[in-house]
Amino acid sequence: MSHWQHDVRSLLRPSEHVHLILEGTSSPEKDLSQAATQASLSEINLASSEEWGVVLAVVGHVEQASGETGSVFIYKDETASSMTTHRSSLTLQHAFPIHGDFSLSISQLAPSSTDETDEPSTPKSPTVSAENGFSIEVSESNRSFTFTTHDKEHLSSAVLACRRLRDLSLRNSIQREAYQWLDPYTLHPNSWLSAMPPLDIRQTRRPVYSRLSLGCAGMPGDEVNDFFTIRDHWLHTEAKSAAPRDPERTRLRIRTGTFNVNGKVPSQDLSTWLGGGPLFLSEQEDEWERLIPPLKELSPLSLGDSNKPPSGTDAEKEEVESPTPSVVPLDPDLLVIALQEIDLSTEALLYSKKTTREDAWTVAVLAGLGEKAELYEKLTSKQLVGILLIVFVKKDLRSCFTGIRANSVGAGIMGVMGNKGAVAVRLTYKPRPTTVTPSPAPITLTFVNSHLAAFEDQFERRNADFRDISRRLEFGPCPEYMWTPPTEDAGFTARHRHHSVTDCLVPGRSKYRINLPDADVRHLLGLDPVFEGVPTLLQFDQLKSAIRKSKAFIDFEEYPITFFPTYRFNADVVADTLGYDIKRKPAWTDRILHMSSPSVKVRQRSYSAHPAITMSDHRPVSADFVVDVPCVDSMALDTAAHNLYKSVAAFDPEDPSSPPVLKLDKSTLDFGKVSYSVPTSQSLKIRNVGKVPAAFRFFPRDLSSPVHPNWLKIEPMTGFLLPEQEATLEFTIYVSPKIAAPLNLKTQELFTLIIVHTALGQDLFLSVSGEYEPTCFGTSLATLVRLPGPIRELKGEEELIPSTQARNSSREFMKLMGWLMSSDIDAIDDLFVVPGDAALVSQIRESLDTGAELPPPFPEPPAPQTVDMAYARGVASALLAFLRALPDPVIPTALHARCAEVDSRDAAFEILSLLPSVSVNVWISVTALLHLLVLKSEQQADTQHEKRFLLFFMEGP
């Protein structure tokens, strides 16, 4: 029956397909004898004398080794006897493999005649009248099931389908082992984690508590939905932890590249961009091999064509020399090429479907791979006018990739034209089987090539383009996952959006610019040594600003940039000394970002620009990734989930007769003395003392309040406990510079009442308190100059002296400056460069807070008059930490843009006149110290001191 297609299909795993569906009614007096033999399969109590609706489905399964095999599934229609018009609920009762022992017998239900039964070993089509219906007996080995039907048309087709599958089994000598695909059907469908579509990655990266309904004390939200949300998260997490994993990791090596070709056809060798040789090593650490070792001193013409990561990073520590004979070079498994503006013609803007440019670039990419090209084949591609995404795969891995889907979204003129937008490709990757994981669970990857709005002043438009693309870019269902039937009011759910992936890589042209004047950008790029100004420029990069402010690309990650801006070059116009077009400000418009789910480890191995390719006004960018694929067997994962599901399936959250009950082993947590910027933790136990599973979360006092104060952190924020189980709750108090000010003035205190809410149960209450020790760090300059004494002695804000009687500068600041100015800073080469000892910095801060004097820079005579360098570094670090912790920067944020445009002494004094007097005094004191450092720097050609220090005057809180 056609109306059963959606029901049955939604209950099958993705590797199965429906040949035919037949509807009937059970014969209880004969079927009850078979209930015991099917207990392991259905786990349903069939002890009922009432008839129930039967849905028979002939299901097929195809594998390369054995070909197609089949089975007859018997479903019970739980609502068949009711008058409801809603879709029936089906429950699997029996699964009969169609092989040599299978038979389907048919008898006519005719009161006036004797039943005629066909030969049981071979199914035959009925030839008698169907006026009184037919009795059908399905049997295999020593199991059987009988039901009746009046659907002669589909009965004939069912017999023919079963005969064909049985003949295939006999002809191919298929053994019982080939029917292991039926094993998952002994498990509850809700435990088929390996076959469920991947959740929206934006959801999985968010903590569980952020996905729950709004609620507060005395006003719970959607309790039932919250219970299931917490339960399902627990089920997924615990099952993945319990399932055995293959200790041999499966690694997927991916090289991505993005290139805005400015309408040009390929006219240069692309090998430097594509790699042109081995890119990965097969060592345990999977070190990245450099094709060309980086030069010690790079020239401006290099533009950062190197994979060298920033100093001190983990990637730098992993750097290795040229591979030894014992190290085998490996090539990338996937090559993902993102191109923009491949066609700038007027015709292209009208969604031209010509593939001439795509074909040309495909040939060019394969040519750029050189002799390695024979290892690869084109897996898929997607083009939207000038935006093109091509995916190449190693031929020997082609069979591991299925479920290939592609889509595109326009975001240009009127939101539909193809001059801007995105194209995307989604792939399902299934590792090769091993002895530990004979059927590995798949993962899904998505690659998106985006081309956003141009021009520097279109920052908000680019952010809007990203949000629009994220909302509209969708895919269809994936064949590797269970099919979800569409609802009446919507198509595919959010799980099919492009973010609904295990890993998402986004190579493309972001078009984000740099928020600095053109002259400053070129000046910083021209500093010696090369790349000295790049970190400063990146602080004003629009894309990084959008991510920090959660305006676009939320949760995406980008590897540290160690190359020069890739835009704009033009051989036909006047250029500066670095080759940039003097009419366009340089910018990093070509970027590659990635986002991954918590269950997959993605390591980026390189991020490079390739200036040798000069055919466009952009330079191509590449990035290399290693994806550690979790090798978990599908059946083992589903079995673990099934065992967990059985322990919670019987609980009805809407049944009030047995509510969940939780208990805390403490009702108070007293942290004692708490210091600034020092995390302090305590824990307690929460236990399920009830008879049913329990889910918990934390509630605020009211909907307008936070769940807990910003100085407190609780882990975990949600939990799920079976009866008699317990969990540990960790509470951490941490007073950071951003939140210290009200605590320093004692307008707030470390005390709060925490509400532990039991979903569908009662609330538990916990008091958390601590005694905070105020500090000058994190306190505004305007407040510090009004302190009557050390801040530790302040009883409250009412003790502050009037602002008209305030001092000209902070005592604490002047203590630090006075110590440094009176010391022999010329003798300290690494002041402000090498950080001071953390314990010593804390000791210095304690002296400032309590009013204790700092020790003199030089010891009393006759001891040698040499400065204590360790203490000097501590004082310098304390001064930097003091300035960092200020709630407002010395130079207000609103004046930063004007500061960047100052070109004369008068303009500088005009800005100083706008500063509060206390900020002016701090500025004067620091510039005096900088003057001494500059004098030393001029003698030693060292500019590191003042560059590092000066940045703190323009940092926000």
Side-chain angles (χ1 to χ4, degrees):
M1 302 291 289
S2 60
H3 69 275
W4 292 108
Q5 287 287 343
H6 289 167
D7 300 61
V8 174
R9 187 179 173 190
S10 65
L11 293 172
L12 294 180
R13 293 174 69 89
S15 55
E16 279 77 77
H17 53 275
V18 181
H19 283 294
L20 183 135
I21 290 176
L22 179 67
E23 186 179 1
T25 306
S26 69
S27 300
E29 58 278 350
K30 187 171 184 179
D31 179 62
L32 286 175
S33 63
Q34 306 299 328
T37 65
Q38 297 301 312
S40 62
L41 173 66
S42 65
E43 298 183 358
I44 300 294
N45 182 13
L46 300 179
S48 172
S49 60
E50 296 182 2
E51 292 185 349
W52 42 273
V54 172
V55 175
L56 178 148
V58 181
V59 177
H61 174 88
V62 179
E63 291 188 6
Q64 283 187 329
S66 57
E68 185 178 15
T69 55
S71 176
V72 168
F73 284 13
I74 305 295
Y75 292 97
K76 177 181 180 181
D77 178 11
E78 301 284 359
T79 59
S81 60
S82 68
M83 299 301 294
T84 178
T85 59
H86 294 295
R87 187 178 63 187
S88 300
S89 174
L90 298 182
T91 304
L92 180 63
Q93 303 293 300
H94 307 270
F96 295 95
I98 302 176
H99 59 91
D101 295 333
F102 173 85
S103 68
L104 190 149
S105 301
I106 304 173
S107 300
Q108 183 183 13
L109 297 177
S112 59
S113 60
T114 305
D115 290 349
E116 299 179 10
T117 305
D118 292 334
E119 180 66 24
S121 60
T122 306
K124 297 181 180 179
S125 303
T127 58
V128 292
S129 173
E131 293 180 0
N132 297 312
F134 298 92
S135 174
I136 312 299
E137 182 179 13
V138 184
S139 62
E140 182 266 336
S141 297
N142 60 348
R143 301 184 301 123
S144 65
F145 176 79
T146 302
F147 71 102
T148 61
T149 183
H150 291 77
D151 188 355
K152 178 182 178 181
E153 177 184 356
H154 290 93
L155 175 59
S156 301
S157 300
V159 172
L160 293 175
C162 290
R163 176 186 297 170
R164 184 184 67 83
L165 290 169
R166 184 173 180 272
D167 290 345
L168 280 175
S169 171
L170 295 173
R171 183 166 57 249
N172 298 332
S173 302
I174 296 176
Q175 303 300 314
R176 288 297 298 265
E177 290 76 13
Y179 292 86
Q180 290 181 351
W181 58 271
L182 291 174
D183 292 347
Y185 292 96
T186 63
L187 312 176
H188 196 285
N190 287 353
S191 63
W192 292 349
L193 300 189
S194 64
M196 291 183 180
L199 300 174
D200 190 322
I201 195 172
R202 294 168 294 184
Q203 296 292 328
T204 59
R205 290 181 64 93
R206 291 172 52 197
V208 180
Y209 67 83
S210 66
R211 304 179 227 159
L212 304 178
S213 64
L214 290 177
C216 63
M219 190 184 298
D222 188 342
E223 294 281 85
V224 174
N225 185 68
D226 291 345
F227 176 87
F228 283 121
T229 299
I230 298 173
R231 187 203 70 177
D232 291 348
H233 175 76
W234 167 83
L235 183 68
H236 282 73
T237 304
E238 292 296 317
K240 289 178 180 179
S241 300
R245 295 171 178 260
D246 193 331
E248 295 295 328
R249 295 177 296 175
T250 296
R251 286 175 173 168
L252 193 62
R253 298 167 175 85
I254 305 173
R255 184 173 182 89
T256 60
T258 180
F259 190 11
N260 185 306
V261 301
N262 193 30
K264 304 295 192 298
V265 294
S267 59
Q268 283 185 275
D269 179 14
L270 304 177
S271 60
T272 57
W273 177 41
L274 302 173
L279 298 175
F280 298 87
L281 301 181
S282 60
E283 290 182 326
Q284 284 188 347
E285 295 301 320
D286 206 312
E287 305 289 0
W288 182 261
E289 178 190 7
R290 286 159 176 71
L291 300 177
I292 304 176
L295 303 176
K296 293 183 179 179
E297 190 71 28
L298 297 174
S299 70
L301 297 179
S302 71
L303 292 183
D305 193 12
S306 132
N307 294 324
K308 184 176 181 180
S311 175
T313 63
D314 293 338
E316 184 184 49
K317 297 175 183 177
E318 293 179 341
E319 185 176 343
V320 293
E321 301 296 332
S322 298
T324 62
S326 62
V327 177
V328 182
L330 300 173
D331 298 296
D333 302 312
L334 281 178
L335 185 62
V336 183
I337 301 301
L339 302 171
Q340 305 87 40
E341 296 185 2
I342 64 171
D343 193 346
L344 297 178
S345 65
T346 303
E347 179 187 6
L349 294 179
L350 300 175
Y351 281 107
S352 171
K353 295 184 179 180
K354 293 182 179 179
T355 62
T356 306
R357 297 294 179 101
E358 176 183 340
D359 297 339
W361 281 102
T362 300
V363 171
V365 168
L366 291 173
L369 292 173
E371 61 182 14
K372 298 290 184 179
E374 64 182 15
L375 301 176
Y376 296 89
E377 65 178 77
K378 179 179 173 181
L379 181 63
T380 187
S381 65
K382 183 64 178 178
Q383 181 177 352
L384 174 66
V385 190
I387 312 171
L388 173 63
L389 185 64
I390 314 176
V391 180
F392 298 88
V393 64
K394 273 188 173 179
K395 294 178 180 179
D396 60 348
L397 289 177
R398 174 60 183 86
S399 61
C400 297
F401 290 92
T402 58
I404 301 171
R405 294 288 186 273
N407 203 354
S408 61
V409 172
I413 302 172
M414 296 184 294
V416 295
M417 299 298 286
N419 55 328
K420 298 293 184 292
V423 296
V425 168
R426 187 183 68 185
L427 313 172
T428 300
Y429 171 70
K430 189 172 185 178
R432 291 191 175 102
T434 67
T435 54
V436 179
T437 56
S439 180
I443 68 167
T444 305
L445 302 102
T446 295
F447 302 94
V448 183
N449 178 12
S450 61
H451 193 204
L452 307 182
F455 303 111
E456 182 177 357
D457 59 354
Q458 294 297 303
F459 173 69
E460 294 299 339
R461 173 63 185 275
R462 283 186 282 275
N463 295 336
D465 281 351
F466 169 80
R467 292 189 294 269
D468 182 55
I469 290 170
S470 299
R471 178 179 57 85
R472 295 167 54 209
L473 188 57
E474 300 181 357
F475 296 100
C478 176
E480 290 294 332
Y481 298 104
M482 290 180 63
W483 180 81
T484 303
T487 61
E488 295 180 359
D489 59 346
F492 299 111
T493 63
R495 70 181 67 180
H496 297 305
R497 294 187 183 274
H498 83 276
H499 286 291
S500 311
V501 295
T502 302
D503 183 55
C504 184
L505 301 176
V506 184
R509 189 184 179 195
S510 68
K511 291 216 174 180
Y512 285 92
R513 308 303 169 94
I514 301 173
N515 285 332
L516 279 179
D518 183 272
D520 292 342
V521 172
R522 297 180 193 275
H523 170 73
L524 289 169
L525 290 175
L527 290 178
D528 188 28
V530 176
F531 302 119
E532 185 68 22
V534 167
T536 303
L537 282 175
L538 287 171
Q539 294 185 50
F540 301 92
D541 176 70
Q542 288 184 346
L543 177 56
K544 293 189 177 297
S545 173
I547 295 175
R548 283 194 304 268
K549 298 177 180 179
S550 299
K551 291 188 173 183
F553 294 94
I554 301 170
D555 288 332
F556 278 90
E557 302 174 32
E558 184 178 26
Y559 203 64
I561 293 178
T562 57
F563 49 85
F564 271 9
T566 56
Y567 176 81
R568 180 191 188 217
F569 302 87
N570 197 328
D572 299 328
V573 301
V574 180
D576 63 13
T577 57
L578 293 176
Y580 292 106
D581 183 348
I582 61 171
K583 294 184 178 180
R584 294 289 182 91
K585 184 168 59 177
W588 287 281
T589 59
D590 310 276
R591 312 286 275 270
I592 299 176
L593 298 87
H594 78 278
M595 174 168 54
S596 60
S597 73
S599 61
V600 175
K601 181 180 180 181
V602 178
R603 292 171 292 157
Q604 188 166 348
R605 291 307 197 186
S606 74
Y607 196 21
S608 305
H610 301 271
I613 301 175
T614 59
M615 69 178 73
S616 172
D617 57 353
H618 290 253
R619 297 295 178 258
V621 173
S622 66
D624 299 280
F625 300 86
V626 176
V627 179
D628 286 333
V629 181
C631 293
V632 182
D633 183 67
S634 297
M635 189 61 189
L637 175 64
D638 296 345
T639 301
H642 176 74
N643 294 332
L644 292 167
Y645 184 79
K646 285 195 301 182
S647 64
V648 300
F651 174 62
D652 182 2
E654 296 182 341
D655 181 6
S657 61
S658 183
V661 182
L662 296 174
K663 183 179 180 180
L664 301 175
D665 68 346
K666 300 176 184 178
S667 60
T668 62
L669 287 179
D670 186 354
F671 282 76
K673 291 188 179 297
V674 177
S675 299
Y676 165 84
S677 197
V678 178
T680 306
S681 299
Q682 289 192 27
S683 62
L684 57 78
K685 300 288 187 181
I686 183 170
R687 185 177 183 84
N688 185 349
V689 296
K691 298 180 181 180
V692 296
F696 68 86
R697 60 182 294 193
F698 292 87
F699 262 178
R701 295 183 182 182
D702 54 68
L703 294 178
S704 61
S705 302
V707 173
H708 55 75
N710 53 8
W711 45 262
L712 182 65
K713 180 181 179 181
I714 306 174
E715 287 290 339
M717 287 288 289
T718 59
F720 189 84
L721 296 173
L722 299 177
E724 300 304 319
Q725 278 189 341
E726 67 178 20
T728 300
L729 300 178
E730 190 82 11
F731 294 79
T732 302
I733 293 181
Y734 176 69
V735 180
S736 68
K738 294 183 179 181
I739 65 175
L743 291 168
N744 289 334
L745 293 179
K746 298 188 177 180
T747 57
Q748 288 185 9
E749 58 180 351
L750 296 183
F751 176 80
T752 188
L753 186 66
I754 298 299
I755 304 173
V756 185
H757 176 67
T758 307
L760 306 165
Q762 296 183 346
D763 292 339
L764 306 174
F765 299 91
L766 172 72
S767 66
V768 178
S769 61
E771 183 182 349
Y772 178 66
E773 298 179 314
T775 176
C776 59
F777 283 50
T779 305
S780 68
L781 292 173
T783 299
L784 291 175
V785 297
R786 296 176 58 197
L787 289 176
I791 195 169
R792 195 66 59 80
E793 298 177 0
L794 187 70
K795 302 300 181 183
E797 192 175 17
E798 65 278 359
E799 290 190 357
L800 294 175
I801 63 178
S803 56
T804 56
Q805 302 176 19
R807 290 179 300 276
N808 292 327
S809 188
S810 161
R811 276 188 302 238
E812 296 79 7
F813 171 76
M814 293 310 298
K815 274 188 179 181
L816 297 174
M817 291 297 301
W819 197 98
L820 290 172
M821 294 292 285
S822 60
S823 65
D824 186 11
I825 59 176
D826 288 344
I828 309 173
D829 294 331
D830 53 13
L831 197 66
F832 298 116
V833 177
V834 175
D837 179 73
L840 185 56
V841 173
S842 297
Q843 178 184 328
I844 294 170
R845 185 178 67 238
E846 184 71 11
S847 297
L848 299 176
D849 296 336
T850 59
E853 294 296 328
L854 301 179
F858 301 100
E860 295 290 335
Q865 298 297 288
T866 56
V867 68
D868 184 342
M869 292 189 179
Y871 199 85
R873 296 189 190 102
V875 173
S877 294
L879 177 59
L880 294 182
F882 174 87
L883 293 172
R884 273 201 196 98
L886 289 174
D888 300 302
V890 175
I891 299 178
T893 305
L895 296 178
H896 288 184
R898 289 189 59 181
C899 289
E901 298 173 355
V902 167
D903 57 1
S904 67
R905 178 185 177 91
D906 292 340
F909 275 106
E910 182 180 349
I911 291 181
L912 285 176
S913 67
L914 301 175
L915 301 181
S917 59
V918 63
S919 297
V920 173
N921 293 330
V922 170
W923 174 264
I924 292 173
S925 299
V926 171
T927 51
L929 178 62
L930 286 176
H931 178 68
L932 294 178
L933 292 174
V934 168
L935 291 177
K936 178 184 177 183
S937 300
E938 289 177 350
Q939 298 171 0
Q940 301 182 3
D942 182 7
T943 61
Q944 184 68 20
H945 295 68
E946 64 271 23
K947 284 178 182 175
R948 177 169 297 200
F949 191 83
L950 191 57
L951 288 175
F952 292 103
F953 289 92
M954 298 187 69
E955 284 191 346

